[in-house]
Amino acid sequence: MTTAHPRRVQVTGDMFHPQLPARAHWAGRQRPHLAESPFANPHPVDGGRKTPCPSCGVRHTLAEALSLYRRHLDQNPDLVRLAATVEADVQFACRCELDQPCHVDELLRRADEVAVIALGDDRDTTFAVQTTPVRTGECSAESDSCGKPGVVAVRVTIGQLRPDEISTLRITMCAEHEGNAPRMYELQVASARELQDPVKNAEFLATVGQAG
Ligand SMILES: [Zn+2]
Ligand SMILES: [Zn+2]
Ligand SMILES: [Zn+2]
């Protein structure tokens, strides 16, 4: 038996009369009265569907669909970051029974591991720090001299509003230096938190040309 993530809720009602709980985001594919969510699983579970998976051309079991969704999240860390920045009182809805496994749990468990740090400035600058598996990039350990193929990365995404701007920096580590990832994550979180201090914040914004 599965325990649903505390922010997962179930849509009830029939196909054409979905009942979406208040303050809930529909996290599935397009349905009557429910718009496609960016968090939808592109690999549908075959529950007597007319057509197989549009991406793979085969019919997926639940276990397969969930495993493919985990890979989808590995390849799209921005989805996890996006989920992490959704207001804390918003719930994520799917059709799945709450005692059944669901892609939403995969998404929310990962989102819980993203540190979101808001600087509270005029442009709502937000830092998001996350650890994510990668298949590209070179290890930057040992002052950039390692250079082996990356397997994990700590990503720091800085988002600002008015105007909307976003930039991501990535610290890549190879299989040998993978053990550095937790410390690197903590370091990035700590330096973002430091910027919540108004004096340091002003200095930081000056360096990115946003002072005054
Ligand atoms: Zn598929
Ligand atoms: Zn579901
Ligand atoms: Zn390395």
Side-chain angles (χ1 to χ4, degrees), residues 42-43 53 55-56 60 68:
H43 304 280
C53 173
S55 326
C56 314
H60 297 307
L68 288 164

Side-chain angles (χ1 to χ4, degrees), residues 2-5 102 104-114:
T2 305
T3 310
H5 188 283
C102 170
V104 168
D105 291 345
E106 305 287 344
L107 176 72
L108 291 176
R109 267 187 228 122
R110 291 194 193 200
D112 287 345
E113 288 168 7
V114 180

Side-chain angles (χ1 to χ4, degrees), residues 8 94-96 101-104:
R8 169 155 73 98
C94 188
R95 279 281 182 186
C96 297
C102 170
H103 78 290
V104 168

Side-chain angles (χ1 to χ4, degrees), residues 46-108:
D46 196 82
R49 286 168 51 88
K50 284 197 205 83
T51 53
C53 173
S55 326
C56 314
V58 298
R59 297 181 178 273
H60 297 307
T61 63
L62 174 62
E64 257 169 33
L66 289 176
S67 143
L68 288 164
Y69 187 67
R70 285 192 285 271
R71 199 165 76 187
H72 175 64
L73 295 180
D74 288 349
Q75 291 164 347
N76 296 280
D78 279 327
L79 287 180
V80 177
R81 180 181 57 78
L82 193 64
T85 55
V86 171
E87 295 93 317
D89 65 332
V90 172
Q91 296 173 305
F92 289 66
C94 188
R95 279 281 182 186
C96 297
E97 302 280 344
L98 292 179
D99 61 358
Q100 295 300 313
C102 170
H103 78 290
V104 168
D105 291 345
E106 305 287 344
L107 176 72
L108 291 176

Side-chain angles (χ1 to χ4, degrees), residues 19-193:
Q19 306 287 317
L20 187 68
R23 292 289 285 165
H25 165 80
W26 166 245
R29 291 179 298 278
Q30 197 185 349
R31 289 281 188 280
H33 308 294
L34 297 170
E36 169 100 14
S37 164
F39 307 120
N41 188 353
H43 304 280
V45 178
D46 196 82
R49 286 168 51 88
K50 284 197 205 83
T51 53
C53 173
S55 326
C56 314
V58 298
R59 297 181 178 273
H60 297 307
T61 63
L62 174 62
E64 257 169 33
L66 289 176
S67 143
L68 288 164
Y69 187 67
R70 285 192 285 271
R71 199 165 76 187
H72 175 64
L73 295 180
D74 288 349
Q75 291 164 347
N76 296 280
D78 279 327
L79 287 180
V80 177
R81 180 181 57 78
L82 193 64
T85 55
V86 171
E87 295 93 317
D89 65 332
V90 172
Q91 296 173 305
F92 289 66
C94 188
R95 279 281 182 186
C96 297
E97 302 280 344
L98 292 179
D99 61 358
Q100 295 300 313
C102 170
H103 78 290
V104 168
D105 291 345
E106 305 287 344
L107 176 72
L108 291 176
R109 267 187 228 122
R110 291 194 193 200
D112 287 345
E113 288 168 7
V114 180
V116 179
I117 298 134
L119 298 197
D121 58 308
D122 290 348
R123 288 193 63 199
D124 290 333
T125 307
T126 302
F127 280 64
V129 186
Q130 66 189 134
T131 306
T132 183
V134 295
R135 285 151 170 254
T136 55
E138 291 179 357
C139 180
S140 58
E142 290 163 11
S143 324
D144 255 354
S145 71
C146 176
K148 293 200 184 85
V151 297
V152 68
V154 172
R155 299 173 95 229
V156 182
T157 305
I158 306 167
Q160 294 187 297
L161 303 179
R162 298 177 296 275
D164 276 15
E165 275 173 323
I166 195 153
S167 64
T168 299
L169 82 92
R170 191 176 114 157
I171 304 145
T172 307
M173 282 147 279
C174 69
E176 201 179 309
H177 290 112
E178 196 177 358
N180 293 355
R183 192 169 48 90
M184 205 52 85
Y185 172 91
E186 291 306 331
L187 225 85
Q188 293 300 324
V189 170
S191 57
R193 291 224 169 99

